[in-house]
Amino acid sequence: MPRFYFDIREGTRFVPDEEGLEFDSLDAAEREAARAAAEIGRDRLPKGDARDITVELKNEHRQRVLTVTITMEIHRVDPEPEPPRT
Amino acid sequence: MRQDASGTSILRRNPILNSLLIRKLEQYDRLPDEERQVLERMVARTAVVSKGEDMVREGDRPTESTILLTGFAARYNLLRDGKRQITAIHVPGDFVDLHSFLTKKMDHAVVAITPCTTGMVPHETIRGISETHPHLARLLGVSIAVDAAAHRQWIVAMGRQSALEHTAHLLCELFVRLQSVGLTTDHSFKVPLTQAELGDALGLSTVHVNRVLQDLRRDGLITWRGETVVIEDWPGLQQLADFDPTFLSLEVEPR
């Protein structure tokens, strides 16, 4: 089974995967990358210490084969001033 | 699973194995000699279970309950799509399915995480204890209640803690439980679980587990080499995990 590496970027922080994991297909590795990105995003994004999480999937030669990015965007909007009462 | 050809002789050769349950129940209350002797006699036979094999299957109606004598085991449920959730990790001295004496049909399975030796206690024997040794029966009841308390802790951690806090909580729990049966050396203990198995216990992907373990190491809380975990900063790990060992009921008091 081919080995894949899952490097993680959280904002400016980079966490390389030294060991890698075996999956029987790229599709299976992609599902794992997507699941990991969603889980890490759920923990980290609401804290505000990063606004996006990227999992970079690399093949056994450490070549990048896909990336998954989870982004949180928060938009504050100024409400319209209330109309004057008549 | 195969029956140990030597029957219960493994227990005669290694009395320490049988004493783990005694040691565990002694955490809850004092055990008179007579109750100890009952515990020493209650294993009718032993078995050897290979790594990855179920020692109890979902849907079974066991007529005996299983004590783990050596090795690690896990309670788990499988979902229809093949995903697995581990709901408890068992260490030597634990009954993995004492509740089957009362609930009859298994609503989950128990798998050997490592090669295991198990001791089988007939439900008839447990029924006899409940009739002739009510104090001992109550202590076995404490063991079932503590299993339920641990499940509550897991729900709280799974529902409300970050992956980092939750993983720290599981390590704190394993450390205290292994320490209580004498299976730790200082702050070092064996955790023979793969990252995939940890993920099944924590409800996390393997990649996320790997990421969390790297953070625990980076923050100087643990080191993890092979199967050996060393807690480098016990107060720090407990604080991160919000760990309170009350749920383990490790207080000797009249019960």
Side-chain angles (χ1 to χ4, degrees):
Chain A
M1 280 205 292
R3 183 164 286 269
F4 293 92
Y5 295 85
F6 299 75
D7 295 341
I8 301 164
R9 286 183 193 280
E10 295 173 17
T12 54
R13 194 165 157 230
F14 179 67
V15 186
D17 177 5
E18 310 290 348
E19 295 153 33
L21 286 171
E22 289 183 342
F23 286 92
D24 51 17
S25 66
L26 178 61
D27 284 349
E30 178 182 318
R31 281 194 294 276
E32 176 75 8
R35 195 178 156 210
E39 286 174 8
I40 295 167
R42 176 176 180 260
D43 269 8
R44 312 293 290 195
L45 295 178
K47 287 186 185 157
D49 44 3
R51 280 289 170 236
D52 48 72
I53 307 286
T54 298
V55 175
E56 299 183 359
L57 183 65
K58 293 177 177 165
N59 65 15
E60 56 196 335
H61 309 297
R62 305 278 185 137
Q63 296 160 312
R64 195 156 61 169
V65 290
L66 67 84
T67 64
V68 181
T69 300
I70 308 276
T71 305
M72 174 175 281
E73 289 181 23
I74 298 176
H75 299 288
R76 288 196 187 191
V77 284
D78 289 327
E80 294 284 317
E82 274 187 48
R85 291 208 179 131
T86 51
Chain B
M1 184 174 358
R2 69 189 165 82
Q3 193 132 340
D4 188 350
S6 51
T8 58
S9 73
I10 185 175
L11 293 175
R12 285 194 291 278
R13 290 197 307 275
N14 298 299
I16 183 93
L17 296 181
N18 219 349
S19 73
L20 287 175
L21 176 67
I22 293 174
R23 192 160 175 175
K24 184 174 156 168
L25 297 184
E26 271 180 336
Q27 311 278 336
Y28 307 143
D29 194 1
R30 294 183 50 208
L31 278 181
D33 281 344
E34 200 204 329
E35 290 181 355
R36 291 163 159 273
Q37 285 158 16
V38 170
L39 289 173
E40 279 163 8
R41 284 195 307 263
M42 72 181 182
V43 171
R45 63 189 180 88
T46 61
V48 174
V49 189
S50 320
K51 177 183 164 79
E53 194 184 351
D54 279 349
M55 55 184 73
V56 187
R57 276 181 295 274
E58 186 174 344
D60 275 2
R61 296 181 66 90
T63 56
E64 49 195 10
S65 285
T66 300
I67 302 178
L68 197 55
L69 299 174
T70 65
F72 274 58
R75 292 185 188 177
Y76 72 93
N77 288 85
L78 278 185
L79 299 179
R80 212 168 13 187
D81 62 5
K83 289 199 195 91
R84 178 172 76 160
Q85 178 66 48
I86 289 176
T87 59
I89 293 167
H90 285 298
V91 303
D94 285 351
F95 259 114
V96 302
D97 64 340
L98 183 53
H99 51 288
S100 73
F101 164 60
L102 300 168
T103 56
K104 306 304 178 192
K105 187 173 175 183
M106 292 297 293
D107 62 321
H108 64 88
V110 184
V111 66
I113 295 280
T114 65
C116 290
T117 319
T118 57
M120 253 61 82
V121 183
H123 285 171
E124 271 314 299
T125 304
I126 303 173
R127 180 185 302 278
I129 289 172
S130 74
E131 281 159 9
T132 59
H133 294 81
H135 176 252
L136 190 50
R138 288 199 297 278
L139 292 190
L140 293 174
V142 174
S143 160
I144 293 177
V146 168
D147 285 348
H151 289 320
R152 286 193 289 278
Q153 292 293 316
W154 280 43
I155 292 170
V156 171
M158 195 113 34
R160 288 293 183 227
Q161 289 194 303
S162 70
L164 187 68
E165 294 159 347
H166 184 186
T167 307
H169 198 279
L170 179 62
L171 290 174
C172 289
E173 178 198 321
L174 285 174
F175 173 65
V176 172
R177 286 172 51 208
L178 287 165
Q179 190 182 42
S180 76
V181 286
L183 295 175
T184 53
T185 311
D186 299 326
H187 281 91
S188 159
F189 55 108
K190 289 254 190 273
V191 181
L193 274 73
T194 64
Q195 291 188 1
E197 287 164 340
L198 277 171
D200 282 351
L202 296 163
L204 299 174
S205 62
T206 309
V207 168
H208 197 186
V209 169
N210 182 276
R211 160 84 183 68
V212 162
L213 295 181
Q214 284 195 45
D215 271 5
L216 290 172
R217 285 192 203 108
R218 186 197 61 172
D219 296 343
L221 297 169
I222 63 159
T223 51
W224 194 317
R225 278 194 199 89
E227 295 182 345
T228 304
V229 175
V230 179
I231 296 179
E232 303 289 351
D233 178 358
W234 176 231
L237 192 69
Q238 286 182 90
Q239 195 186 2
L240 170 66
D242 205 355
F243 182 77
D244 174 354
T246 302
F247 71 99
L248 295 169
S249 287
L250 298 174
E251 299 282 342
V252 175
E253 54 183 298
R255 301 196 196 245

